[in-house]
């Protein structure tokens, strides 16, 4: 019987949690997984929600269980698996049945799939979902992309299952095609940088100030009560406070320093290069993860050159200064992320709702932070303005950039690596320099390639008096 309001394919961790969330909010749901035993197992473990879940062993039974016009969420691995699932599913559907890709898709793939669906007369949505397992189960941040009418068909469900900030759903339509997945990609890029900067100040506390994990935990817990209040600061405190049940040592001390990634941060860096949008802190964070994977090389480097980190001189850098440095780095990181979103909006013909993006990120997602409410207000005033120049954030940077400079300089003197914070400081200094050093670059380019340059006193293209010096 067709009694399910929506369907979901893919019962991995995120898919299973999302399905339970949908059922809990009162929407009957049909579920299918390629491994049928997983479908049965999921239904058996659904508890009080099992009555709202229809487990299906075949795609035909799955499609038949959903009320037409059907809406079907795909929670399968990004890439070829999505195309294969669409190819298997589409012949069983009616023309107006809606497919929703809620995985971590590359927005270029979403654009391609959306075009193909449109040409065939089928609705298609690509939505970014952030919040991890906990968010999927109890309320993620949702960033929608595709035809507005398709979003409107399912927005009542997506808003119901999303996180809420003061009763406002953290679920919004971002624009056509791959807009939702692009916004999610930039979210993840900011996430990379935010995590890296937190790790960097942890490194200063550990290696520069000689603090143990428990002391670091106390610092993060204190910071989470102030301007840095955020999910990532909160969990950093919890991670630092945890004890390894095997050895009794701090859990943090037992974790190998080799970070993984699923590619979304790299996608952010790649797209920023294509769009000529400087995201230096995010670039540095992606590079730092790549270098973390080169564990053997780093160990050889330590053997060859000696360990980089040295203890800081007493009172060289205080915890309060580290906090102020991290505040400045965070503002600069978000400013870069929103600049990239603006560049993409212009380049791809979207009208990305900048204030709404900040609002959607206030709850449910990994980068949720107390700063995002002020960012939403600043972007409401002027969506195109770099957040550095919004009065509230200008004031913050005026108060904190000195601490960022001091932290970066002090750490550099002792060999403490701060790649993302250093990149943020470099961005800040360039963006407040009225006359940069690019005139030298233009002179060089004209000398070796006759590329020409602009003059400060005349219009038009000009060449230098290099003559026989070439």
């Amino acid at each position: 019987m067709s009694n399910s309001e929506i369907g979901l394919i893919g019962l991995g961790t995120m898919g299973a949690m999302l399905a339970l969330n949908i059922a809990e909010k009162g929407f009957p749901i049909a579920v299918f997984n390629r491994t049928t035993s997983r479908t049965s197992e999921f239904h058996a473990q659904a508890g009080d929600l099992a009555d709202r879940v229809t487990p299906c062993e075949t795609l035909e039974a799955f499609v038949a269980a959903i009320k037409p016009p059907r809406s079907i969420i795909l929670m399968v691995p990004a890439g070829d698996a999505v195309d294969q699932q669409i190819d298997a599913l589409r012949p069983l559907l009616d023309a107006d049945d809606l497919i929703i890709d809620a995985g971590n898709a590359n927005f270029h793939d979403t654009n391609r799939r959306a075009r193909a669906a449109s040409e065939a007369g089928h609705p298609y949505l690509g939505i970014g979902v952030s919040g991890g397992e906990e968010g999927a189960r109890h309320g993620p941040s949702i960033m929608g992309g595709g035809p507005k009418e398709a979003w409107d068909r399912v927005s009542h469900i997506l808003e119901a299952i999303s996180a809420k900030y003061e009763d406002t759903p953290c679920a919004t339509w971002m624009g056509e095609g791959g807009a939702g997945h692009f916004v999610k990609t930039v979210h993840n890029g900011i996430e990379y940088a935010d995590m890296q900067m937190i790790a960097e100040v942890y490194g200063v506390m550990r290696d520069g100030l000689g603090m143990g994990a428990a002391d670091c935990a106390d610092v993060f817990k204190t910071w989470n009560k102030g301007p840095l209040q955020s999910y990532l600061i909160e969990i950093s405190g919890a991670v630092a406070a945890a004890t390894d049940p095997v050895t009794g040592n701090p859990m943090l001390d037992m974790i190998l320093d080799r970070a993984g990634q699923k590619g979304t941060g790299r996608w952010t860096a790649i797209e920023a290069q294509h769009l000529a949008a400087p995201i230096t802190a995010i670039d540095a964070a992606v590079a730092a993860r790549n270098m973390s994977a080169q564990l053997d090389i780093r160990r050889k480097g330590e053997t060859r050159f000696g360990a980089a980190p040295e203890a800081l001189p007493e009172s060289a850098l205080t915890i309060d200064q580290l906090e102020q440095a991290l505040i400045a780095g965070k503002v600069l990181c978000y400013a870069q992320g929103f600049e990239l979103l603006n560049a993409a909006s212009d380049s791809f013909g979207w009208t990305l709702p900048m204030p709404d993006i900040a609002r959607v990120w206030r709850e449910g997602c990994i980068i949720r932070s107390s700063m995002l409410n002020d960012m939403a207000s600043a972007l409401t005033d002027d969506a195109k303005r770099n957040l550095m120049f919004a009065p509230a954030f200008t004031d913050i940077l005026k108060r904190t950039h000195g601490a960022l400079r001091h932290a970066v300089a002090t750490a550099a003197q002792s060999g403490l690596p701060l790649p993302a914070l250093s990149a943020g400081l470099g961005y800040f200094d360039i963006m407040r320099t009225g006359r940069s050093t690019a005139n030298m670059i233009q002179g060089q380019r004209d000398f070796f390639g006759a590329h020409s340059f602009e003059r400060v006193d005349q219009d038009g293209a000009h060449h230098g008096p290099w003559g026989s010096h070439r």
Side-chain angles (χ1 to χ4, degrees), residues 200-275:
E200 289 172 13
V201 297
Y202 156 70
V204 172
M205 289 189 283
R206 183 191 69 184
D207 300 324
L209 302 179
M211 296 170 57
D215 291 330
C216 295
D218 290 340
V219 170
F220 287 128
K221 289 175 183 176
T222 298
W223 286 355
N224 199 44
K225 299 174 184 176
L228 286 172
Q229 189 279 320
S230 64
Y231 175 70
L232 285 172
I233 290 290
E234 177 187 348
I235 67 170
S236 297
V239 168
T243 300
D244 176 22
V246 177
T247 64
N249 295 328
M251 190 71 251
L252 195 53
D253 293 349
M254 304 308 297
I255 299 174
L256 188 67
D257 56 316
R258 182 160 55 196
Q261 58 179 305
K262 293 186 176 180
T264 47
R266 188 183 304 119
W267 294 347
T268 311
I270 290 169
E271 294 309 321
Q273 292 298 322
H274 287 311
L275 294 166

Coordinates of all heavy atoms in Angstrom, one line a residue, residues 200-275:
E200 N 45.8 24.4 16.4 CA 47.0 25.1 16.5 C 47.2 25.8 17.9 O 48.3 25.7 18.5 CB 47.1 26.2 15.4 CG 47.3 25.6 14.0 CD 47.2 26.6 12.9 OE1 47.1 27.8 13.2 OE2 47.1 26.2 11.7
V201 N 46.1 26.3 18.4 CA 46.3 26.9 19.8 C 46.4 25.8 20.8 O 47.1 26.0 21.8 CB 45.1 27.9 20.1 CG1 45.0 29.0 19.2 CG2 43.8 27.1 20.1
Y202 N 45.8 24.6 20.6 CA 46.1 23.5 21.4 C 47.6 23.1 21.4 O 48.2 22.9 22.5 CB 45.3 22.3 21.0 CG 45.8 21.0 21.4 CD1 45.8 20.6 22.8 CD2 46.4 20.1 20.5 CE1 46.3 19.3 23.1 CE2 46.9 18.9 20.8 CZ 46.9 18.5 22.2 OH 47.4 17.3 22.5
G203 N 48.2 23.2 20.2 CA 49.6 22.9 20.1 C 50.5 23.9 20.9 O 51.5 23.5 21.5
V204 N 50.1 25.1 20.8 CA 50.8 26.2 21.6 C 50.7 25.8 23.1 O 51.7 25.9 23.8 CB 50.3 27.6 21.3 CG1 51.0 28.6 22.2 CG2 50.6 27.9 19.9
M205 N 49.5 25.5 23.5 CA 49.3 25.2 25.0 C 50.1 23.9 25.3 O 50.8 23.9 26.4 CB 47.9 25.0 25.3 CG 47.0 26.3 25.3 SD 45.4 26.1 25.9 CE 44.5 25.3 24.5
R206 N 50.1 22.9 24.5 CA 50.8 21.6 24.8 C 52.3 21.8 24.7 O 53.0 21.4 25.7 CB 50.3 20.5 23.9 CG 50.9 19.2 24.1 CD 50.5 18.2 23.0 NE 51.3 18.6 21.7 CZ 51.1 17.9 20.6 NH1 50.2 16.9 20.5 NH2 51.8 18.3 19.5
D207 N 52.8 22.3 23.6 CA 54.2 22.2 23.3 C 54.9 23.5 23.7 O 56.1 23.5 24.1 CB 54.5 22.0 21.8 CG 53.9 20.7 21.4 OD1 54.0 19.7 22.1 OD2 53.4 20.6 20.2
G208 N 54.2 24.6 23.7 CA 54.8 25.9 24.1 C 54.7 26.3 25.5 O 55.6 26.8 26.1
L209 N 53.5 25.9 26.1 CA 53.3 26.3 27.5 C 53.4 25.1 28.4 O 53.2 25.2 29.6 CB 51.9 26.9 27.6 CG 51.7 28.2 26.8 CD1 50.3 28.7 27.0 CD2 52.7 29.3 27.1
G210 N 53.6 23.9 27.9 CA 53.8 22.7 28.7 C 52.5 22.2 29.4 O 52.6 21.6 30.5
M211 N 51.3 22.5 28.9 CA 50.1 22.2 29.5 C 49.6 20.8 29.1 O 49.8 20.3 28.0 CB 49.0 23.2 29.1 CG 49.3 24.6 29.6 SD 48.1 25.8 28.9 CE 46.6 25.2 29.5
G212 N 49.1 20.0 30.1 CA 48.6 18.7 29.9 C 47.2 18.8 29.3 O 46.6 19.9 29.2
A213 N 46.7 17.7 28.9 CA 45.4 17.6 28.2 C 44.3 18.1 29.1 O 43.4 18.9 28.6 CB 45.1 16.2 27.7
A214 N 44.3 17.8 30.4 CA 43.2 18.2 31.3 C 43.2 19.7 31.4 O 42.2 20.4 31.5 CB 43.4 17.6 32.7
D215 N 44.4 20.3 31.5 CA 44.5 21.8 31.6 C 44.0 22.5 30.3 O 43.3 23.5 30.4 CB 45.9 22.2 31.9 CG 46.4 21.8 33.2 OD1 45.6 21.8 34.2 OD2 47.6 21.6 33.4
C216 N 44.3 21.9 29.2 CA 43.8 22.4 27.9 C 42.3 22.3 27.9 O 41.6 23.2 27.4 CB 44.4 21.6 26.7 SG 46.2 21.8 26.5
A217 N 41.7 21.2 28.4 CA 40.3 21.0 28.5 C 39.6 22.1 29.3 O 38.6 22.7 28.9 CB 39.9 19.7 29.1
D218 N 40.3 22.5 30.4 CA 39.7 23.6 31.2 C 39.7 24.9 30.4 O 38.7 25.7 30.6 CB 40.5 23.7 32.5 CG 40.3 22.6 33.4 OD1 39.3 21.8 33.3 OD2 41.2 22.4 34.3
V219 N 40.7 25.1 29.7 CA 40.8 26.4 28.9 C 39.6 26.4 27.8 O 38.9 27.4 27.7 CB 42.1 26.5 28.2 CG1 42.1 27.7 27.1 CG2 43.3 26.7 29.2
F220 N 39.5 25.3 27.1 CA 38.4 25.2 26.1 C 37.0 25.4 26.8 O 36.2 26.1 26.2 CB 38.5 23.9 25.3 CG 39.6 23.8 24.4 CD1 40.5 22.7 24.4 CD2 39.8 24.8 23.4 CE1 41.5 22.7 23.5 CE2 40.9 24.8 22.5 CZ 41.7 23.7 22.6
K221 N 36.9 24.8 27.9 CA 35.6 24.9 28.6 C 35.3 26.4 29.0 O 34.2 26.9 29.0 CB 35.5 24.0 29.8 CG 35.4 22.5 29.4 CD 35.5 21.6 30.6 CE 35.5 20.1 30.2 NZ 35.7 19.2 31.4
T222 N 36.4 27.1 29.4 CA 36.2 28.5 29.8 C 35.9 29.3 28.5 O 35.0 30.2 28.5 CB 37.5 29.0 30.5 OG1 37.7 28.3 31.7 CG2 37.4 30.5 30.8
W223 N 36.7 29.1 27.5 CA 36.4 29.8 26.2 C 35.0 29.6 25.7 O 34.5 30.5 25.1 CB 37.5 29.4 25.2 CG 38.8 29.9 25.4 CD1 39.2 30.8 26.4 CD2 40.0 29.6 24.7 NE1 40.6 31.0 26.3 CE2 41.1 30.3 25.2 CE3 40.3 28.7 23.6 CZ2 42.4 30.2 24.8 CZ3 41.6 28.6 23.1 CH2 42.6 29.3 23.7
N224 N 34.5 28.4 25.9 CA 33.1 28.2 25.4 C 32.0 29.0 26.1 O 30.9 28.9 25.7 CB 32.8 26.7 25.5 CG 31.7 26.2 24.6 OD1 31.6 26.6 23.4 ND2 30.8 25.4 25.1
K225 N 32.4 29.7 27.1 CA 31.5 30.6 27.8 C 31.6 32.0 27.3 O 30.8 32.9 27.8 CB 31.7 30.5 29.3 CG 31.5 29.1 30.0 CD 31.9 29.1 31.4 CE 31.8 27.7 32.0 NZ 32.3 27.7 33.4
G226 N 32.5 32.3 26.4 CA 32.7 33.6 25.9 C 32.5 33.8 24.4 O 31.7 33.0 23.8
P227 N 33.2 34.7 23.8 CA 33.0 35.0 22.4 C 33.2 33.8 21.5 O 32.7 33.7 20.3 CB 34.0 36.1 22.1 CG 34.3 36.7 23.4 CD 34.2 35.6 24.4
L228 N 34.0 32.8 21.9 CA 34.3 31.7 21.1 C 33.3 30.5 21.2 O 33.5 29.4 20.7 CB 35.7 31.1 21.4 CG 36.9 31.9 20.9 CD1 38.2 31.4 21.5 CD2 37.0 31.9 19.4
Q229 N 32.2 30.8 21.9 CA 31.3 29.7 22.2 C 30.8 29.1 20.9 O 30.4 29.8 19.9 CB 30.0 30.3 22.9 CG 29.0 29.3 23.4 CD 28.1 28.8 22.3 OE1 27.6 29.6 21.5 NE2 27.8 27.5 22.2
S230 N 31.0 27.8 20.8 CA 30.7 27.1 19.5 C 30.8 25.6 19.8 O 31.3 25.1 20.8 CB 31.7 27.4 18.4 OG 33.0 27.0 18.8
Y231 N 30.2 24.9 18.8 CA 30.2 23.4 18.9 C 31.6 22.9 18.9 O 32.0 22.0 19.7 CB 29.4 22.8 17.8 CG 29.4 21.3 17.7 CD1 28.8 20.5 18.7 CD2 30.1 20.7 16.7 CE1 28.8 19.1 18.6 CE2 30.1 19.3 16.6 CZ 29.5 18.5 17.5 OH 29.5 17.2 17.5
L232 N 32.5 23.4 18.1 CA 33.8 22.9 17.9 C 34.7 23.2 19.2 O 35.5 22.3 19.6 CB 34.5 23.4 16.7 CG 34.0 22.8 15.4 CD1 34.6 23.6 14.2 CD2 34.4 21.3 15.3
I233 N 34.5 24.3 19.8 CA 35.2 24.6 21.1 C 34.7 23.7 22.1 O 35.5 23.1 22.9 CB 35.1 26.1 21.5 CG1 35.9 27.0 20.5 CG2 35.5 26.3 22.9 CD1 37.4 26.9 20.7
E234 N 33.4 23.5 22.2 CA 32.8 22.6 23.2 C 33.3 21.2 23.1 O 33.8 20.6 24.1 CB 31.3 22.6 23.0 CG 30.5 21.6 23.9 CD 29.1 21.5 23.6 OE1 28.5 22.3 22.8 OE2 28.4 20.6 24.1
I235 N 33.4 20.6 21.9 CA 33.8 19.2 21.7 C 35.3 19.1 21.9 O 35.9 18.1 22.3 CB 33.4 18.6 20.4 CG1 34.1 19.2 19.2 CG2 31.9 18.6 20.3 CD1 33.8 18.4 17.9
S236 N 36.1 20.2 21.6 CA 37.5 20.2 21.9 C 37.8 20.0 23.4 O 38.7 19.3 23.8 CB 38.2 21.5 21.3 OG 38.0 21.6 19.9
G237 N 37.0 20.7 24.2 CA 37.1 20.5 25.6 C 36.8 19.1 26.1 O 37.5 18.5 26.9
A238 N 35.7 18.5 25.4 CA 35.4 17.2 25.8 C 36.4 16.2 25.4 O 36.8 15.2 26.1 CB 34.0 16.8 25.2
V239 N 37.0 16.4 24.2 CA 38.1 15.5 23.7 C 39.3 15.6 24.6 O 39.9 14.5 25.0 CB 38.4 15.8 22.2 CG1 39.7 15.1 21.8 CG2 37.3 15.5 21.3
A240 N 39.7 16.8 25.0 CA 40.9 16.9 25.8 C 40.7 16.4 27.2 O 41.6 16.0 27.9 CB 41.2 18.4 25.9
A241 N 39.4 16.4 27.7 CA 39.1 15.9 29.1 C 39.0 14.4 29.2 O 39.0 13.8 30.3 CB 37.8 16.6 29.6
A242 N 38.8 13.7 28.0 CA 38.5 12.3 28.1 C 39.8 11.4 28.5 O 40.9 11.8 28.2 CB 38.0 11.8 26.7
T243 N 39.5 10.3 29.1 CA 40.5 9.4 29.5 C 40.5 8.1 28.7 O 39.4 7.6 28.5 CB 40.4 9.0 31.0 OG1 40.5 10.2 31.8 CG2 41.4 8.0 31.5
D244 N 41.6 7.6 28.3 CA 41.7 6.4 27.5 C 41.4 5.2 28.4 O 42.1 5.0 29.4 CB 43.1 6.2 26.9 CG 43.3 4.9 26.2 OD1 42.3 4.3 25.8 OD2 44.5 4.5 26.0
P245 N 40.3 4.4 28.1 CA 40.0 3.3 29.0 C 41.0 2.2 29.0 O 41.0 1.3 29.9 CB 38.6 2.8 28.5 CG 38.6 3.3 27.0 CD 39.4 4.5 27.0
V246 N 41.9 2.1 28.0 CA 42.9 1.1 27.9 C 44.1 1.4 28.8 O 44.6 0.5 29.6 CB 43.3 0.9 26.4 CG1 44.4 -0.2 26.3 CG2 42.1 0.5 25.6
T247 N 44.6 2.6 28.7 CA 45.9 2.9 29.4 C 45.7 3.8 30.6 O 46.6 3.9 31.4 CB 46.8 3.6 28.4 OG1 46.2 4.9 28.0 CG2 47.1 2.8 27.1
G248 N 44.5 4.5 30.7 CA 44.3 5.4 31.7 C 45.0 6.8 31.4 O 44.8 7.7 32.3
N249 N 45.6 6.9 30.3 CA 46.2 8.2 29.9 C 45.1 9.1 29.3 O 44.0 8.6 29.0 CB 47.3 8.0 28.9 CG 48.5 7.2 29.4 OD1 48.8 7.3 30.6 ND2 49.1 6.4 28.6
P250 N 45.4 10.4 29.2 CA 44.5 11.2 28.4 C 44.3 10.7 27.0 O 45.2 10.3 26.4 CB 45.2 12.6 28.4 CG 46.1 12.6 29.6 CD 46.6 11.2 29.7
M251 N 43.0 10.6 26.6 CA 42.7 10.0 25.3 C 43.4 10.8 24.2 O 43.9 10.2 23.2 CB 41.2 10.1 25.1 CG 40.7 9.3 23.9 SD 40.8 7.5 24.1 CE 42.1 7.1 23.0
L252 N 43.5 12.1 24.3 CA 44.1 12.9 23.3 C 45.6 12.5 23.1 O 46.1 12.6 22.0 CB 44.0 14.4 23.7 CG 44.3 15.5 22.7 CD1 43.4 15.2 21.4 CD2 44.0 16.8 23.2
D253 N 46.3 12.1 24.2 CA 47.7 11.8 24.0 C 47.9 10.4 23.3 O 49.0 10.1 22.9 CB 48.3 11.7 25.4 CG 48.4 13.1 26.1 OD1 48.2 14.1 25.4 OD2 48.7 13.1 27.3
M254 N 46.8 9.6 23.2 CA 46.9 8.3 22.6 C 46.5 8.3 21.1 O 46.5 7.3 20.5 CB 46.1 7.3 23.4 CG 46.4 7.2 24.9 SD 48.2 7.0 25.2 CE 48.4 5.4 24.4
I255 N 46.0 9.4 20.6 CA 45.5 9.5 19.3 C 46.6 9.8 18.3 O 47.3 10.8 18.5 CB 44.4 10.6 19.1 CG1 43.2 10.2 20.0 CG2 43.9 10.7 17.7 CD1 42.1 11.2 20.1
L256 N 46.8 9.0 17.3 CA 47.8 9.3 16.3 C 47.5 10.6 15.5 O 46.4 10.9 15.2 CB 47.9 8.1 15.3 CG 49.1 8.2 14.3 CD1 50.4 7.9 15.0 CD2 48.8 7.1 13.2
D257 N 48.6 11.4 15.3 CA 48.4 12.7 14.7 C 48.4 12.7 13.2 O 49.2 13.3 12.6 CB 49.5 13.7 15.2 CG 50.9 13.1 15.0 OD1 51.2 11.9 15.2 OD2 51.8 13.9 14.5
R258 N 47.5 12.0 12.7 CA 47.3 11.8 11.2 C 45.8 12.0 10.9 O 45.0 11.1 11.2 CB 47.8 10.5 10.8 CG 47.8 10.3 9.3 CD 48.7 9.2 8.8 NE 48.5 7.9 9.5 CZ 49.3 6.9 9.5 NH1 50.5 7.0 8.8 NH2 49.1 5.8 10.1
A259 N 45.5 13.2 10.4 CA 44.1 13.5 10.2 C 43.6 13.1 8.8 O 44.3 13.2 7.8 CB 43.9 15.0 10.3
G260 N 42.3 12.5 8.8 CA 41.7 12.1 7.5 C 40.8 13.2 7.0 O 40.6 14.3 7.6
Q261 N 40.4 13.0 5.8 CA 39.4 14.0 5.1 C 38.7 13.2 4.0 O 39.2 12.2 3.5 CB 40.2 15.2 4.6 CG 41.2 14.9 3.5 CD 41.9 16.1 3.0 OE1 41.2 17.0 2.5 NE2 43.2 16.2 3.1
K262 N 37.5 13.7 3.7 CA 36.6 13.1 2.7 C 36.6 13.9 1.4 O 35.9 13.6 0.5 CB 35.2 12.9 3.3 CG 35.2 11.9 4.4 CD 33.7 11.6 4.8 CE 33.7 10.5 5.9 NZ 32.3 10.2 6.3
G263 N 37.3 15.0 1.4 CA 37.5 15.8 0.1 C 36.8 17.1 0.0 O 37.1 17.9 -0.9
T264 N 35.8 17.4 0.9 CA 35.0 18.6 0.7 C 35.9 19.8 1.0 O 35.7 20.9 0.3 CB 33.8 18.6 1.7 OG1 34.2 18.2 3.0 CG2 32.7 17.6 1.2
G265 N 36.8 19.8 1.9 CA 37.7 20.9 2.1 C 38.6 21.1 0.9 O 38.8 22.3 0.5
R266 N 39.0 20.1 0.3 CA 39.8 20.2 -1.0 C 39.0 20.8 -2.1 O 39.5 21.6 -2.8 CB 40.3 18.8 -1.4 CG 41.3 18.8 -2.5 CD 41.7 17.4 -2.9 NE 42.3 16.7 -1.8 CZ 41.8 15.5 -1.3 NH1 40.7 15.0 -1.9 NH2 42.4 14.9 -0.3
W267 N 37.7 20.4 -2.2 CA 36.8 21.0 -3.2 C 36.7 22.5 -3.0 O 36.7 23.2 -3.9 CB 35.4 20.3 -3.1 CG 35.4 18.9 -3.5 CD1 36.3 18.1 -4.1 CD2 34.3 18.0 -3.2 NE1 35.9 16.9 -4.2 CE2 34.6 16.7 -3.7 CE3 33.0 18.2 -2.6 CZ2 33.8 15.6 -3.6 CZ3 32.2 17.1 -2.5 CH2 32.6 15.8 -3.1
T268 N 36.6 22.9 -1.7 CA 36.5 24.3 -1.4 C 37.7 25.1 -1.9 O 37.6 26.1 -2.6 CB 36.3 24.6 0.1 OG1 35.3 23.7 0.6 CG2 36.0 26.0 0.4
A269 N 38.9 24.5 -1.7 CA 40.1 25.2 -2.1 C 40.2 25.2 -3.6 O 40.6 26.2 -4.2 CB 41.3 24.4 -1.5
I270 N 39.8 24.1 -4.3 CA 39.9 24.1 -5.7 C 38.9 25.1 -6.3 O 39.3 25.9 -7.3 CB 39.5 22.7 -6.2 CG1 40.6 21.7 -5.9 CG2 39.2 22.7 -7.8 CD1 40.2 20.3 -6.1
E271 N 37.7 25.2 -5.9 CA 36.7 26.2 -6.4 C 37.1 27.6 -6.2 O 36.9 28.5 -7.0 CB 35.3 25.9 -5.9 CG 34.7 24.6 -6.3 CD 34.8 24.3 -7.8 OE1 34.5 25.3 -8.6 OE2 35.0 23.2 -8.2
A272 N 37.7 27.8 -5.0 CA 38.2 29.2 -4.7 C 39.3 29.6 -5.7 O 39.3 30.8 -6.1 CB 38.8 29.3 -3.3
Q273 N 40.1 28.7 -6.1 CA 41.1 29.1 -7.1 C 40.5 29.4 -8.5 O 40.9 30.4 -9.1 CB 42.1 27.9 -7.3 CG 43.0 27.7 -6.1 CD 43.9 28.9 -5.8 OE1 44.4 29.6 -6.7 NE2 44.1 29.2 -4.5
H274 N 39.5 28.6 -8.8 CA 38.8 28.9 -10.1 C 38.1 30.2 -10.1 O 38.0 30.9 -11.1 CB 37.8 27.8 -10.4 CG 38.4 26.5 -10.8 ND1 39.3 26.4 -11.8 CD2 38.1 25.2 -10.4 CE1 39.6 25.1 -12.0 NE2 39.0 24.4 -11.1
L275 N 37.6 30.6 -8.9 CA 36.8 31.8 -8.8 C 37.7 33.0 -8.3 O 37.1 34.1 -8.2 CB 35.7 31.6 -7.7 CG 34.6 30.6 -8.2 CD1 33.7 30.2 -6.9 CD2 33.7 31.2 -9.3

